[in-house]
Amino acid sequence: MIDFKNATFLKLKLVNNSEFEKVITPMLINGESIISSYKTVRDGVVFTNKRIISINVQGLTGTKKDFTSLPYSKINAYSVETAGTIDLDSELEMWFSGLGKVKFEFKSNSNVTEICKIISTFVL
């Protein structure tokens, strides 16, 4: 499992869902589908209609990957900070029961209000 206390996913940008479809699809349950995908240089975050899957690519070759499933049903609260003039990144912080805080940083052109809407749809 990714150590979210000591790690932050930085500079995530929106990518086509096909970026992670091949590795994520075998993990999806019946009725689960990918809504949106975000990627750093190597790591990624995939929002489905059931959960958030964080992907931590490890090693020099990138063949080893760590997948962490974060179910919407375990989110207690979340916070979104939009990009500003000086601070160009947007941030999403979520608090999960049994896990604590998880933080993702998105590039300034990311639509964090859309991410907020996705989470709200499945949490509220």
Side-chain angles (χ1 to χ4, degrees):
M1 176 183 278
I2 297 167
D3 180 9
F4 288 107
K5 292 192 187 331
N6 296 313
T8 300
F9 281 74
L10 302 172
K11 310 285 189 208
L12 290 160
K13 68 175 184 174
L14 184 66
V15 293
N16 192 301
N17 289 339
S18 62
E19 275 291 322
F20 295 110
E21 194 169 37
K22 186 177 180 181
V23 294
I24 293 294
T25 299
M27 297 178 203
L28 302 181
I29 62 171
N30 287 338
E32 186 175 15
S33 58
I34 297 172
I35 297 172
S36 63
S37 302
Y38 295 83
K39 185 177 181 181
T40 64
V41 174
R42 293 173 49 145
D43 300 332
V45 176
V46 176
F47 291 84
T48 76
N49 60 328
K50 304 282 185 193
R51 59 187 158 166
I52 302 165
I53 302 172
S54 62
I55 305 155
N56 181 12
V57 179
Q58 302 173 352
L60 292 174
T61 62
T63 54
K64 183 177 179 180
K65 295 173 181 64
D66 177 37
F67 299 91
T68 301
S69 176
L70 304 163
Y72 294 120
S73 63
K74 299 297 180 185
I75 295 176
N76 292 328
Y78 68 93
S79 171
V80 175
E81 182 180 295
T82 61
T85 305
I86 296 173
D87 184 7
L88 299 177
D89 298 325
S90 301
E91 296 176 0
L92 168 64
E93 293 181 331
M94 298 169 287
W95 288 265
F96 288 84
S97 60
L99 178 63
K101 182 172 80 168
V102 173
K103 180 179 178 180
F104 298 123
E105 286 186 12
F106 297 88
K107 286 192 171 192
S108 61
N109 60 350
S110 296
N111 189 350
V112 291
T113 55
E114 184 62 30
I115 295 167
C116 186
K117 188 175 181 181
I118 291 168
I119 294 169
S120 294
T121 299
F122 300 108
V123 171
L124 301 178

